[in-house]
Amino acid sequence: MSHPHPATTPSQLRTGSDAAATSPVLRRAAFASFIGTFVEWFDYAVYGFLATVIAVVFFPATDTRSALMATYGVFALSFVVRPIGGVIWGHFGDKFGRKSTLTLSIFIMSSATFVIAFLPSYQTAGLAAPVLLLLTRLVQGFAASGEYAGAASFLSEHAPDRKRGIYTCLVPAGEAAGLLAASLFVALLHALLTTEQLQAWGWRLPFLFALPFGYVGVFIRRRLEETRHFKSLEAAHHVPPAPVLELLGKHRRQVLIAFGGTLLNAVGFYLVLSYMPTYLATELGISETAAFLGSTITLMVYLASIFVMGALSDRLGRKAVLIACSLLFAILTVPLFIVLSSVSFTGLGSGGFLAILGIWALFGALLAMNGGTLPTLLCELFPTRVRYSGFALSFNAANALFGGTAPLIATWLIGASGSKLAPAWFLVAAALVTLAAIAMTTAGRAGSALEND
């Protein structure tokens, strides 16, 4: 357990935090956390939304499912480095501060994404093309492993205690906004370009925007102030020499709870917001234009709902909201997928498309119950000394094992079982694990590590 500076009591920290609710420092921290996460997830999400095009550009001409699985395989492999990245970024964030760590992560992400725009195709470079794609995706995965946990830790430590949920939910909101921007950009490409143009050069365009976006994020973050919580540790000389060793030595239970609590978020996020357009297009025969339109509307619902859930978690507590979310996913997912798979799509204006859109948007709202609440709970699980490390390691490990692999597992399960309901059962299993983990925690409101360290 970390200790504030001897001259600063927990109550003083809370009073100062509440007084800062409208301060310029908090407003800058909120804006920087949102815009930085937006940039990183725009960069990261473009790959998922262009999966069917990338399958053609970077892999040999085989059957569609094999090329798509290869594309998602690269997507999944980029998550292998995320637990490693979580350890490294957590070490620097807990030892040297949140601000400088976050500035570096956005610079690395934007640079790697920009490089993808110049990679050769399989037709030009053969096997070198997917290898180079994998290497750049690994760098992206490493950078992403430091962003979400760091931004949430940074903002939660700036936010007043009674409004921590609504402020910290700006991080998943930035993530959702980045996804939304990527979805809109890709939908625009599909609408304006022919398939041949998209495969020849159009797919490179969103990756080119990464560098200017990234430098904007770097500029903003360099002007921020470090959090009071971390500065108190520095002033008291209580910064841990080896944060990860302390985390695994003293806080193993919290790490396991955080890992299990993240599972639904990891699987649900990538199935509902990243894989679903491909699922609807390849398995249910929906046009790509309709799939991306549906994705855009669902992301809008998700983004708007995040703020509602963040505020609700301040009133009811993080634990109550997350348990309700897990139960709803466990009960509703399979029936909703049954209805989804039975709908007949005949065009954008058809009743079938409206039914699909309604189900998809409902999934988005349910996912926001988790996404808008989980980051705050994970911050409240760990004391300041190891907060960045605890969040980053557990969150990235869950995403590496079950999040990044979710599209690949879903595609394989459908092929192996012959059932279009396979992804639904995968999502139900994740919800049950998260339900059990969240039930074990006492964090989420009064008595959290943030308020008592």
Side-chain angles (χ1 to χ4, degrees):
M1 180 69 72
S2 59
H3 304 280
H5 190 279
T8 307
T9 68
S11 62
Q12 288 171 325
L13 276 174
R14 287 195 292 274
T15 301
S17 180
D18 289 336
T22 57
S23 72
V25 172
L26 179 57
R27 288 196 296 270
R28 286 198 299 270
F31 177 72
S33 297
F34 177 87
I35 199 67
T37 307
F38 167 86
V39 170
E40 289 225 17
W41 286 94
F42 174 87
D43 292 350
Y44 205 64
V46 163
Y47 182 96
F49 288 123
L50 285 170
T52 55
V53 179
I54 289 173
V56 175
V57 173
F58 284 94
F59 296 96
T62 56
D63 64 279
T64 302
R65 188 179 298 278
S66 296
L68 191 58
M69 285 191 68
T71 304
Y72 282 133
V74 172
F75 184 86
L77 285 172
S78 72
F79 281 73
V80 170
V81 298
R82 288 186 61 166
I84 300 170
V87 171
I88 295 172
W89 289 113
H91 174 84
F92 282 100
D94 284 329
K95 191 173 177 64
F96 301 109
R98 285 58 162 133
K99 171 189 166 182
S100 58
T101 306
L102 284 170
T103 302
L104 182 59
S105 76
I106 195 172
F107 173 78
I108 293 175
M109 169 65 87
S110 298
S111 299
T113 306
F114 184 69
V115 168
I116 292 178
F118 298 94
L119 294 182
S121 66
Y122 181 85
Q123 186 176 7
T124 302
L127 288 175
V131 170
L132 290 171
L133 179 64
L134 174 60
L135 290 175
T136 52
R137 286 292 293 177
L138 289 174
V139 176
Q140 280 190 315
F142 175 77
S145 65
E147 171 61 30
Y148 197 87
S153 298
F154 181 79
L155 194 49
S156 68
E157 290 174 6
H158 270 296
D161 291 337
R162 290 189 292 271
K163 296 183 179 180
R164 189 178 299 124
I166 190 62
Y167 274 100
T168 307
C169 78
L170 283 169
V171 175
E175 179 186 38
L179 280 168
L180 178 59
S183 176
L184 286 170
F185 201 116
V186 172
L188 188 64
L189 290 177
H190 278 281
L192 297 179
L193 302 178
T194 65
T195 301
E196 292 73 21
Q197 289 173 326
L198 196 56
Q199 293 174 359
W201 53 268
W203 68 271
R204 300 180 188 272
L205 295 178
F207 295 104
L208 289 171
F209 280 88
L211 203 61
F213 280 176
Y215 280 121
V216 169
V218 168
F219 175 78
I220 292 171
R221 285 185 169 176
R222 288 186 64 182
R223 297 166 62 88
L224 295 174
E225 293 184 20
E226 188 56 80
T227 70
R228 279 187 303 278
H229 287 259
F230 185 79
K231 287 193 290 187
S232 293
L233 285 183
E234 282 191 313
H237 303 291
H238 286 157
V239 174
V244 175
L245 293 181
E246 181 173 319
L247 173 73
L248 297 178
K250 298 181 179 179
H251 305 283
R252 286 191 295 271
R253 184 175 184 273
Q254 289 96 319
V255 171
L256 290 174
I257 289 173
F259 177 87
T262 302
L263 207 62
L264 175 57
N265 182 271
V267 175
F269 185 89
Y270 289 101
L271 285 186
V272 174
L273 300 180
S274 184
Y275 169 73
M276 190 68 84
T278 302
Y279 173 80
L280 293 173
T282 58
E283 304 298 338
L284 302 185
I286 294 176
S287 68
E288 289 190 338
T289 301
F292 279 110
L293 176 60
S295 174
T296 299
I297 294 172
T298 299
L299 279 165
M300 289 178 176
V301 172
Y302 176 71
L303 179 57
S305 301
I306 279 175
F307 295 102
V308 176
M309 299 308 167
L312 190 64
S313 75
D314 282 328
R315 293 178 62 86
L316 302 180
R318 266 51 94 176
K319 183 174 181 177
V321 175
L322 289 170
I323 284 178
C325 175
S326 300
L327 286 171
L328 287 171
F329 263 106
I331 294 168
L332 296 177
T333 296
V334 172
L336 288 175
F337 262 77
I338 290 174
V339 175
L340 196 64
S341 62
S342 66
V343 170
S344 176
F345 173 78
T346 57
L348 283 177
S350 66
F353 176 69
L354 293 177
I356 291 170
L357 185 59
I359 293 170
W360 200 354
L362 177 57
F363 271 122
L366 289 175
L367 187 62
M369 289 184 71
N370 184 285
T373 308
L374 180 67
T376 314
L377 179 122
L378 295 184
C379 289
E380 292 174 338
L381 270 174
F382 301 101
T384 301
R385 286 171 61 92
V386 295
R387 179 165 297 121
Y388 203 139
S389 296
F391 193 138
L393 178 59
S394 55
F395 185 82
N396 285 298
N399 274 278
L401 291 173
F402 298 102
T405 58
L408 178 63
I409 291 173
T411 304
W412 177 82
L413 284 172
I414 292 170
S417 67
S419 172
K420 296 176 183 178
L421 296 180
W425 290 110
F426 183 32
L427 193 51
V428 168
L432 293 174
V433 172
T434 291
L435 176 63
I438 297 300
M440 295 171 60
T441 184
T442 57
R445 207 163 183 183
S448 74
L450 255 167
E451 295 171 9
N452 291 311
D453 64 5

